[in-house]
Amino acid sequence: MRLRVEFTTEPFDLDEPPPHALAARDVVQGADLDTVDVGPFGNTAEGGADEVLTAVDALLRKALAAGATRVSLQVNVLEEQA
């Protein structure tokens, strides 16, 4: 099974990324995922179910420890390509 996770961390800071956003970004960029797209208002990553779920666990723990007051995320199951 392949999954896509989309997430944001708060509070926002438009001048520079806060520590919790950097922590979450570091997790997904360092994870064994197929694609990672990091943006100023949201982030997306795709990969196998085990890899995505492991990354989600780590990004929640690290973002909250780094000061996030809210982490919003959505996980979608992707159709397998033949």
Side-chain angles (χ1 to χ4, degrees):
M1 177 184 308
R2 289 184 44 76
L3 301 176
R4 175 187 298 128
V5 61
E6 300 173 55
F7 67 93
T8 58
T9 62
E10 295 179 40
F12 294 115
D13 182 339
L14 296 178
D15 294 325
E16 63 182 72
H20 56 81
L22 296 174
R25 180 184 71 189
D26 289 347
V27 167
V28 294
Q29 288 180 328
D32 187 21
L33 300 171
D34 298 334
T35 61
V36 174
D37 182 25
V38 176
F41 300 109
N43 309 283
T44 305
E46 295 180 11
D50 287 339
E51 291 78 14
V52 170
L53 295 174
T54 297
V56 166
D57 177 66
L59 82 85
L60 287 171
R61 292 175 188 278
K62 292 189 178 193
L64 293 170
T69 57
R70 173 187 278 198
V71 179
S72 301
L73 64 89
Q74 176 175 297
V75 177
N76 294 336
V77 176
L78 302 175
E79 288 187 28
E80 293 289 334
Q81 296 180 356

